[in-house]
Amino acid sequence: MFIDPFVIRSINRSELRKRILLYLDEIYPSPTYLSEIARVVKSDPSNVKGALVGLGNRYNGHSSLVSLGLVEVVIEGGFKYYRLTEYGKQVVGLLRSYHSYYSKYT
Amino acid sequence: MDPLVEVLDRNMEAMADVAVGYLIQIGLKYDVFKELVRGVSREKLIASVPLPNKERLERLIDTYIQLGIVEESGGSLRMAECSYELSLTRERLEKLMPDWIPILEEMYKMADYAFISREHPKVLMDFDKGADFWDMRLLLGINRIYRQLASRLLGLEDGMRIIDLGCGSVSPVELGSAVGPNGKYVGIDFSPGLLSIATTRVKDEGLDWVTLREMDVRRLVVRNTYDGVVVSFLLGYLENPGAVVRKAIEMLGPGGRLVILDVFQDLNPKVAALEFFESLTKEFVRFPSAGEILAAVDESPYDVEASVIGNSTIVVTRVL
């Protein structure tokens, strides 16, 4: 699947989105729920929700992790869980490879 | 013929076909052809097309001339009577690896931005500033094919010593793994960006026998000999590719092999279309011709045998 270099660059500019992806990669293929992600990435659940699915005008919904196809929402027993997609997994692979490159050039 | 050679050649041809189609689309989109139908001076045409980067526009016109779409005579440019045929035979289609299409589409978009300015931030063809884009290109299935082909032609196995000129970010892991812990892989590249990506991967994979050096291959001093030398898609960035080929031969030990993979001008009829997009990288000069590479091989003082395999591969063996 084609990975847009600008998606990788934009994730690298957001420490929260990057931390969420790395955590979801750690537990892949398991999904997890919002407050668990917020606890692990040490952020507020509303910020995490914004990064995952967009939130009003604070986060652009089009660049949320779900809209970019990196994370999928799983609904089970009336609860919402979030899981890394296969595409998201590839993006995390590149994020890890590009870590030293981005820290040097951005 | 080696099935990998077939796959590589058919995909290269398809890339050139698609690139010609896109160049025609650019001409239609920016209304470049209208005045060319009647005939127009180069200066008038360049002035009449409202694209800010005139240097790029000049390159587009030159590419049309090279492809036979436009004729230049007596200071006037005119549309030629030409037609292009896109061959979609089953034999060709079954060898296509379509993952290069989205990358070419990105390059087409970049070409559009380059008509505004060469330094436009959406143009990611700089080896350093756009090392991530280059890495994505190098990870493509078709590029894995040429690395597999290089590995097969060199007969890579545990314990071999090889050097890779213009190694990029992926070969150090793939070819480095092939020579194993008893071998040695040396990768040379001038881009610190690509090398930093390669270094991360080499460390992650624990390939201690892989050495990476940031260096311009033109300044390389031959100190050691190797069982194999790889020069893949590098020669187009050099004014004098023959000099590097001669240096590469000098690095071969007796019985050693040099594998050169590239788009050869004289073997790829629509090469100008690919060159238009590759020239978004400022270091790009032109694709080499197999003829000039073979002439450079002949000039080498060593006893060597060279063979051209398909349209994109030359193998040089140093005779014992």
Side-chain angles (χ1 to χ4, degrees):
Chain A
M1 190 183 285
F2 175 67
I3 296 168
D4 184 342
F6 286 98
V7 166
I8 308 245
R9 287 175 181 219
S10 101
I11 288 163
N12 258 295
R13 280 195 291 271
S14 159
E15 196 51 38
L16 176 61
R17 288 200 293 169
K18 199 158 73 178
R19 286 209 307 269
I20 293 171
L21 284 179
L22 291 173
Y23 175 57
L24 291 177
D25 182 52
E26 229 171 80
I27 62 165
Y28 183 85
S30 303
T32 189
Y33 49 95
L34 185 65
S35 57
E36 167 75 4
I37 301 172
R39 188 180 61 76
V40 173
V41 302
K42 297 185 173 61
S43 182
D44 190 74
S46 65
N47 284 336
V48 172
K49 191 173 182 193
L52 283 166
V53 294
L55 196 69
N57 56 8
R58 283 176 65 197
Y59 290 94
N60 182 350
H62 297 300
S63 59
S64 72
L65 296 174
V66 170
S67 297
L68 290 172
L70 307 176
V71 173
E72 61 187 338
V73 183
V74 182
I75 297 173
E76 265 177 32
F79 290 98
K80 269 188 187 173
Y81 298 91
Y82 299 91
R83 177 168 56 202
L84 203 62
T85 60
E86 196 49 46
Y87 175 55
K89 191 133 187 67
Q90 287 181 37
V91 166
V92 171
L94 291 182
L95 279 174
R96 292 188 196 279
S97 296
Y98 298 165
H99 178 71
S100 60
Y101 167 67
Y102 281 118
S103 56
K104 205 168 168 184
Y105 292 96
T106 58
Chain B
M1 188 183 284
D2 188 314
L4 293 179
V5 174
E6 280 274 312
V7 170
L8 189 59
D9 287 355
R10 294 294 88 77
N11 278 275
M12 293 291 198
E13 285 164 16
M15 279 181 213
D17 280 334
V18 171
V20 170
Y22 194 76
L23 283 168
I24 293 169
Q25 189 179 320
I26 292 177
L28 294 170
K29 182 163 64 174
Y30 296 115
D31 215 4
V32 176
F33 297 138
K34 194 165 63 186
E35 291 192 71
L36 281 165
V37 172
R38 290 185 293 274
V40 62
S41 72
R42 181 180 277 259
E43 294 70 30
K44 194 175 169 204
L45 179 69
I46 298 291
S48 70
V49 179
L51 289 170
N53 187 349
K54 299 295 181 190
E55 189 191 323
R56 198 75 201 144
L57 189 55
E58 286 259 16
R59 174 124 204 172
L60 177 69
I61 305 297
D62 289 336
T63 305
Y64 285 147
I65 294 169
Q66 284 172 278
L67 290 169
I69 296 169
V70 171
E71 292 169 339
E72 186 167 32
S73 66
S76 175
L77 297 168
R78 187 182 291 270
M79 286 302 288
E81 290 295 336
C82 69
S83 85
Y84 271 98
E85 189 183 324
L86 186 62
S87 170
L88 295 175
T89 59
R90 282 191 213 104
E91 186 267 338
R92 284 166 69 101
L93 284 173
E94 72 179 2
K95 292 186 174 64
L96 289 192
M97 303 187 67
D99 66 346
W100 51 259
I101 292 173
I103 291 282
L104 279 197
E105 281 174 346
E106 280 299 305
M107 287 169 67
Y108 299 155
K109 281 188 223 159
M110 291 179 199
D112 260 356
Y113 288 116
F115 279 123
I116 301 168
S117 155
R118 179 174 203 143
E119 306 303 326
H120 195 286
K122 295 264 183 182
V123 180
L124 297 180
M125 292 285 281
D126 183 286
F127 283 115
D128 252 346
K129 290 180 197 152
D132 48 355
F133 178 73
W134 272 104
D135 180 63
M136 287 174 197
R137 276 189 87 179
L138 294 170
L139 285 168
L140 292 176
I142 184 63
N143 293 327
R144 286 200 194 284
I145 292 285
Y146 83 67
R147 288 188 293 269
Q148 283 171 14
L149 179 61
S151 178
R152 186 185 293 181
L153 292 171
L154 290 172
L156 289 193
E157 56 183 22
D158 188 23
M160 284 181 72
R161 295 164 51 87
I162 65 164
I163 185 163
D164 189 348
L165 308 183
C167 62
S169 54
V170 185
S171 287
V173 171
E174 290 189 3
L175 299 184
S177 299
V179 297
N182 299 311
K184 185 175 176 61
Y185 170 99
V186 179
I188 308 282
D189 206 289
F190 88 115
S191 162
L194 281 170
L195 285 177
S196 73
I197 296 169
T199 303
T200 303
R201 292 197 178 125
V202 164
K203 271 191 193 154
D204 287 350
E205 300 284 327
L207 308 178
D208 302 338
W209 57 92
V210 168
T211 306
L212 299 173
R213 289 200 200 126
E214 184 189 323
M215 194 190 292
D216 185 329
V217 291
R218 290 168 295 193
R219 298 199 176 85
L220 189 67
V221 177
V222 181
R223 291 204 180 94
N224 299 307
T225 57
Y226 297 86
D227 302 317
V229 182
V230 182
V231 178
S232 54
F233 300 91
L234 164 77
L235 301 176
Y237 300 90
L238 304 168
E239 287 287 353
N240 185 0
V244 169
V245 169
R246 285 191 294 274
K247 202 177 277 188
I249 293 171
E250 214 182 315
M251 285 189 264
L252 290 176
R257 275 186 156 191
L258 158 66
V259 173
I260 302 169
L261 293 145
D262 222 305
V263 182
F264 296 113
Q265 290 217 0
D266 40 355
L267 304 179
N268 293 277
K270 294 165 195 154
V271 73
L274 294 174
E275 285 184 325
F276 178 79
F277 296 102
E278 295 302 340
S279 67
L280 292 168
T281 303
K282 64 178 183 299
E283 289 86 2
F284 184 79
V285 182
R286 63 182 169 82
F287 285 120
S289 78
E292 71 181 310
I293 300 308
L294 293 173
V297 172
D298 280 344
E299 286 166 19
S300 163
Y302 298 92
D303 187 6
V304 289
E305 282 171 2
S307 57
V308 181
I309 305 170
N311 297 338
S312 318
T313 313
I314 295 177
V315 178
V316 182
T317 308
R318 186 168 162 198
V319 180
L320 283 167

